[in-house]
């Protein structure tokens, strides 16, 4: 395990108001009975402050710092004298079936229109009310991408679920979740309620502000380049601070980077 993946120290945990082992989360599907899932935070490096998950279990919780559910299943099977490969295969099958069912439900929900779409949205709102941006940002496994249009002076948010499906409005998400509530209402209710307890409007606004600053700074750099030595003709091309790495950076990598601190502006349009 890397140094920056070490468990929270007692001092750091006390400062954050959490136990030294981290914050216990609901056990994910497939985690062996009796095992626990903890969320901790990196203490050093470029990801300092970002959360990560580890598992612990076995007799007297002798297995600590396990990185994945599959690894936990192997440890548990070895302890019980079972075939680890067989137990992992059972887990993979259940996980695959669930993923296929979820993908099918999302595909069907994406094709909903008219009365059926409104029915799915109403089903969601009857149980959970309307969604907002900070809540969607806090849903486990989801990400947000912020982009700002200088031409219309508006910040747009794209919401990305764990399977990589992208949603451009909050009503699209309500429709999808409302459609899934036909068979998994309790699961969706728990998912959204948990997100609402973790939602941070300031972080959401800060990310929007960062996108706006980035859009205008790029425009300013383009204008400034017209007045550099050599003008717009044969002058040397200005390099971006990130060089080739900036050009190669993927949208997913940018979404995973922590947002720099700044003064939160007004809330962006989320729907």
């Amino acid at each position: 395990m890397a140094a920056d993946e070490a468990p929270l120290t007692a001092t750091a945990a006390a400062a954050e108001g959490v136990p030294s082992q981290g914050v216990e989360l609901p056990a994910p599907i497939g985690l062996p009975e009796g095992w626990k899932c903890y969320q901790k935070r990196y203490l050093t490096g470029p990801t300092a402050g970002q959360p990560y998950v580890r598992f612990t279990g076995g007799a007297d919780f002798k297995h600590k710092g396990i990185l994945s559910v599959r690894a936990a299943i192997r440890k548990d099977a070895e302890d019980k004298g079972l075939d680890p490969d067989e137990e992992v295969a059972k887990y993979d099958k259940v996980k695959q079936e669930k993923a296929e069912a979820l993908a099918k439900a999302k595909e069907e929900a994406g094709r909903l229109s008219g009365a059926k779409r409104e029915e799915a949205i109403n089903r969601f709102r009857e149980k959970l009310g309307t969604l907002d941006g900070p809540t969607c940002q806090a849903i486990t496994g989801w990400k947000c991408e912020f982009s700002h249009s200088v031409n219309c002076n508006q910040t747009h948010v794209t919401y990305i679920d764990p399977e990589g499906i992208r949603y451009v409005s909050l009503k699209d998400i309500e429709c999808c979740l409302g459609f899934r509530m036909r068979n998994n209402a309790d699961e969706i209710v728990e998912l959204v309620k948990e997100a609402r307890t973790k939602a941070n409007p300031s972080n959401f606004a800060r990310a929007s502000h960062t996108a706006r600053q980035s859009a205008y700074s790029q425009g300013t750099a383009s204008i400034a380049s017209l007045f550099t030595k050599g003008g717009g003709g044969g002058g040397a091309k200005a390099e971006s601070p990130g060089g080739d790495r900036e050009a190669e950076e993927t949208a997913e990598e940018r979404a995973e980077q922590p947002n720099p601190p700044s003064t939160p502006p007004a809330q962006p349009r989320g729907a």
Side-chain angles (χ1 to χ4, degrees), residues 25-26 138 140 189-199:
L25 301 178
T140 301
V189 168
E190 181 179 351
L191 184 73
V192 174
K193 285 186 175 179
E194 179 189 11
R196 282 179 171 154
T197 65
K198 299 187 299 182

Side-chain angles (χ1 to χ4, degrees), residues 108-121:
E108 293 174 352
R111 293 196 297 263
L112 293 181
S113 61
K116 290 185 177 180
R117 173 179 168 84
E118 291 305 314
E119 179 184 348
I121 293 173

Side-chain angles (χ1 to χ4, degrees), residues 117 157 159 167-174 270-271:
R117 173 179 168 84
V157 186
Y159 304 91
Y167 304 84
V168 296
S169 77
L170 297 174
K171 290 190 74 172
D172 286 343
I173 301 174
E174 291 174 352

Side-chain angles (χ1 to χ4, degrees), residues 189-247:
V189 168
E190 181 179 351
L191 184 73
V192 174
K193 285 186 175 179
E194 179 189 11
R196 282 179 171 154
T197 65
K198 299 187 299 182
N200 190 325
S202 295
N203 283 349
F204 189 83
R206 185 177 298 117
S208 170
H209 186 49
T210 300
R212 185 175 185 275
Q213 284 184 316
S214 176
Y216 280 103
S217 65
Q218 290 175 13
T220 301
S222 298
I223 295 174
S225 67
L226 298 176
F227 298 94
T228 57
K229 185 177 180 180
K237 182 179 179 181
E239 294 184 0
S240 63
D244 292 339
R245 171 58 186 158
E246 181 175 320

